[in-house]
Amino acid sequence: MDLMHHSSTFLLPSSPVDGHRPPLTYALVLLNQSLPRFTPLLWEHAGLHLCADGGANRLFDEMPLFFPKENASDVRRRYKPDAIKGDMDSIRKDVLDFYKSIGTKIIDKSHDQDTTDLHKCVTYIRDSSSDVNKSNLCILVAGALGGRFDHEIGNLNVLCCFASLRIVLLSNDSLVYLLPRTHRHEIHIQASVEGPHCGLIPLGMPSSSSTTTGLRWNLNNTEMKFGGLVSTSNIVEGEKVTVLSDSDLLWTISIKKLWSEITLVPS
């Protein structure tokens, strides 16, 4: 079984160089929830930037708040999304007109009511990437947690729909991503910005056997299912966590509140 490595280096101002693995290529999707305080940092890491429908309102309204000493219009023009995609039922007309005027691609999928706006954006990113690049692609989704619970469930479902892609759901307080059962997993903890609280949750089906190392309460061929044991409120104990399971699992870890100490210099 192949080994899959994971690391939240996108939460660091600069990503450490790892000579053993090729660097990841990041794409960023903004959803219609309050932007995490580290959104400008995610933006700098990403090579492709999308707003999912009303996520454009958040970018327009909230990104200038991260740079209170700058002119709001200058900030909006600097942080121009490559595309806005969705069913266009949430984006305001003034926001749509502004981004149209500065060259953002507008993709109206109002005829498609069977998939979420995030699903539409992930499809766009997947189809825009070559097969070679997909293996190193990581999609960061800001504003994916919190707010309406049905929206959160829809976002988790996107992880299942695109299980072969690396997708990270982010809020101010935590991140979530899928650990596919097709791989063994090594999670390299960035202790300066994340942890120690974490969890492993079976998704889609019970797990009859999950084994971990690196946690305060490790699993040892443990069964997990809703209505029984799920590994919530666990604690990371070291720099590396390993996971092996016969079921897809969600990994979640808390994000530390250190971002007020980080000043992002505009590029």
Side-chain angles (χ1 to χ4, degrees):
M1 186 177 291
D2 290 339
L3 178 63
M4 192 172 184
H5 293 271
H6 308 268
S7 179
S8 301
T9 52
F10 50 81
L11 292 175
L12 301 174
S14 59
S15 297
V17 176
D18 186 339
H20 301 290
R21 296 189 297 274
L24 294 178
T25 300
Y26 294 106
L28 175 63
V29 180
L30 303 183
L31 301 188
N32 193 12
Q33 287 289 331
S34 295
L35 299 183
R37 57 195 177 278
F38 44 83
T39 300
L41 183 63
L42 301 180
W43 190 284
E44 295 299 322
H45 283 308
L48 182 64
H49 310 90
L50 272 75
C51 293
D53 194 3
N57 299 339
R58 301 289 182 165
L59 178 63
F60 185 90
D61 293 340
E62 298 178 21
M63 189 64 89
L65 302 179
F66 296 119
F67 304 94
K69 296 181 179 180
E70 296 190 49
N71 180 277
S73 180
D74 292 342
V75 174
R76 289 173 182 137
R77 290 178 182 277
R78 184 167 74 243
Y79 291 94
K80 177 183 80 70
D82 297 292
I84 300 170
K85 185 174 182 180
D87 62 7
M88 301 302 170
D89 65 345
S90 300
I91 188 171
R92 301 196 311 266
K93 185 178 185 304
D94 63 309
V95 174
L96 181 61
D97 290 345
F98 173 78
Y99 286 119
K100 271 185 178 179
S101 74
I102 62 173
T104 294
K105 185 176 183 180
I106 309 298
I107 308 170
D108 186 341
K109 290 292 183 178
S110 54
H111 62 279
D112 177 7
Q113 294 298 314
D114 292 330
T115 61
T116 64
D117 290 332
L118 175 57
H119 191 289
K120 294 175 175 67
C121 287
V122 172
T123 299
Y124 178 88
I125 295 167
R126 180 198 62 191
D127 294 346
S128 300
S129 304
S130 68
D131 289 338
V132 174
N133 291 337
K134 282 188 184 68
S135 62
N136 297 321
L137 173 66
C138 181
I139 301 173
L140 308 174
V141 186
L145 307 169
R148 279 173 46 186
F149 184 64
D150 61 324
H151 284 169
E152 287 186 299
I153 293 299
N155 296 337
L156 294 175
N157 186 54
V158 168
L159 300 185
C160 297
C161 292
F162 297 93
S164 63
L165 295 179
R166 293 177 185 262
I167 304 173
V168 183
L169 307 181
L170 292 138
S171 71
N172 264 325
D173 304 309
S174 60
L175 62 82
V176 176
Y177 51 80
L178 187 72
L179 303 180
R181 64 184 180 276
T182 52
H183 289 72
R184 296 179 293 119
H185 299 275
E186 280 190 5
I187 303 166
H188 302 272
I189 305 301
Q190 303 299 322
S192 64
V193 292
E194 65 180 347
H197 301 96
C198 65
L200 284 166
I201 303 162
L203 186 64
M205 65 180 71
S207 168
S208 61
S209 177
S210 292
T211 298
T212 66
T213 65
L215 301 177
R216 180 169 298 177
W217 296 284
N218 278 308
L219 307 173
N220 184 15
N221 294 319
T222 305
E223 180 184 24
M224 290 197 296
K225 63 180 180 180
F226 282 95
L229 173 71
V230 292
S231 183
T232 59
S233 301
N234 214 322
I235 300 289
V236 170
E237 291 278 75
E239 297 180 351
K240 182 174 72 175
V241 173
T242 67
V243 181
L244 177 64
S245 180
D246 64 349
S247 173
D248 292 346
L249 301 179
L250 290 177
W251 166 257
T252 183
I253 190 168
S254 57
I255 296 176
K256 293 181 176 177
K257 299 185 182 299
L258 298 176
W259 295 98
S260 60
E261 303 172 12
I262 295 177
T263 300
L264 185 70
V265 178
S267 59

